[in-house]
Amino acid sequence: DGGITQSPKYLFRKEGQNVTLSCEQNLNHDAMYWYRQDPGQGLRLIYYSQIVNDFQKGDIAEGYSVSREKKESFPLTVTSAQKNPTAFYLCASSKIPGTYNEQFFGPGTRLTVL
Amino acid sequence: GQQLNQSPQSMFIQEGEDVSMNCTSSSIFNTWLWYKQDPGEGPVLLIALYKAGELTSNGRLTAQFGITRKDSFLNISASIPSDVGIYFCAGQLREQGAQKLVFGQGTRLTINP
C-alpha cells in the first residue's frame, strides 16, 4: 500500500542529545514537509523540500536540520540547540507542481526530552 | 506571517446534532483544505476546495470556499461517535516558489452519546 511512514512512534531522549526522526514515502511525491504540533495549537512548518538535494527553512527551523538525499526519504534531526524539543512531529508529502497538490500526513512521532 | 482564525475552539454536542465550524483570514488563499486528526495520529484529509465559491460534499461533510478567498466553513450533519476528534482548516498559498499550508488552531469536537 502507498503511504507515509514515520518511525519511531514514540521517542525518548536526554536533554542535550541530538535525535533523528525518520520519514519515508512511497507515493512518488516530489515535495516533503516537517511540522511540529504542540498541545492546543495548529501545525507549524519546520522545513520543506521540493526536490532531492534541496530544502528550505519553514517558520520555526531554528534547532532543526534535514537532508533529502533520496526522493522517498526526508529525515529530521532535532539538535541540542532546540530549546523546547518535546512535541509531536508530523511529516507530510505532496505532488508538485500544480494546483492539486494536497499534503498527506504520516502517523507522527512523539518526542519527549527528559 | 499569515494566520488563520478557526472557531469555535471546542464543541460539545449530542449525537445526531449538526456541527458547523469556520476559518477566516486576512490573507487570500488559492486552496482550502479540511483535515481531521484523531488523538496521537496524523491529520487525515477530508475535503479540498480549489475555487472561490466552491461547495463540496464528502458524505455527511460539506465545506465551502468563501467568495473572498479569505474564509471557509465545514459542516457535519447528523454527527456520530466516530466524528470525535480535532478538525483543522488549512489555507494553501504559493510562497517563494512553493505551495505552503497555513493551519488554523483546530476545533475539538466532543460528542455525548
Side-chain angles (χ1 to χ4, degrees):
Chain A
D1 287 351
I4 304 171
T5 58
Q6 293 186 240
S7 62
K9 182 69 173 174
Y10 300 96
L11 192 54
F12 297 88
R13 279 296 181 268
K14 292 182 179 180
E15 194 171 342
Q17 289 183 334
N18 292 356
V19 60
T20 297
L21 282 60
S22 167
C23 178
E24 305 277 332
Q25 55 95 5
N26 60 5
L27 300 167
N28 198 31
H29 283 174
D30 300 292
M32 298 186 74
Y33 310 80
W34 274 105
Y35 292 89
R36 171 183 173 134
Q37 186 177 31
D38 293 288
Q41 296 192 31
L43 282 67
R44 293 183 291 169
L45 182 64
I46 303 173
Y47 267 98
Y48 63 98
S49 168
Q50 299 184 84
I51 57 173
V52 174
N53 292 324
D54 187 51
F55 47 83
Q56 286 78 38
K57 293 181 178 179
D59 300 319
I60 55 166
E62 185 175 351
Y64 300 97
S65 65
V66 294
S67 63
R68 187 86 186 276
E69 298 178 0
K70 299 187 299 182
K71 186 176 183 178
E72 303 80 16
S73 179
F74 192 41
L76 173 74
T77 296
V78 184
T79 74
S80 57
Q82 167 52 231
K83 295 286 190 283
N84 184 18
T86 295
F88 191 48
Y89 290 88
L90 289 158
C91 178
S93 70
S94 69
K95 290 182 181 180
I96 59 167
T99 302
Y100 305 106
N101 56 351
E102 304 94 341
Q103 291 186 24
F104 297 91
F105 285 84
T109 292
R110 185 167 299 280
L111 172 64
T112 303
V113 175
L114 306 172
Chain B
Q2 297 85 2
Q3 287 188 323
L4 290 185
N5 299 310
Q6 185 172 350
S7 65
Q9 290 187 356
S10 59
M11 302 183 72
F12 299 85
I13 64 170
Q14 298 293 123
E15 184 177 349
E17 288 185 14
D18 295 343
V19 172
S20 184
M21 61 191 76
N22 69 83
C23 278
T24 61
S25 175
S26 57
S27 300
I28 291 174
F29 295 100
N30 55 36
T31 302
W32 280 93
L33 305 171
W34 284 92
Y35 291 88
K36 177 177 182 277
Q37 185 177 29
D38 291 327
E41 300 295 331
V44 174
L45 183 64
L46 300 174
I47 290 180
L49 302 156
Y50 304 109
K51 296 180 183 178
E54 179 181 356
L55 184 70
T56 297
S57 293
N58 178 9
R60 293 178 295 106
L61 278 61
T62 301
Q64 184 159 31
F65 193 147
I67 287 290
T68 64
R69 296 171 62 192
K70 295 181 179 181
D71 63 309
S72 177
F73 73 74
L74 174 70
N75 289 341
I76 305 173
S77 63
S79 59
I80 59 177
S82 62
D83 291 334
V84 167
I86 302 177
Y87 292 80
F88 289 98
C89 62
Q92 186 165 272
L93 50 78
R94 195 161 188 85
E95 189 175 276
Q96 297 178 330
Q99 294 284 2
K100 298 175 72 174
L101 286 182
V102 179
F103 283 84
Q105 305 281 48
T107 296
R108 182 181 296 273
L109 179 61
T110 303
I111 298 177
N112 299 317

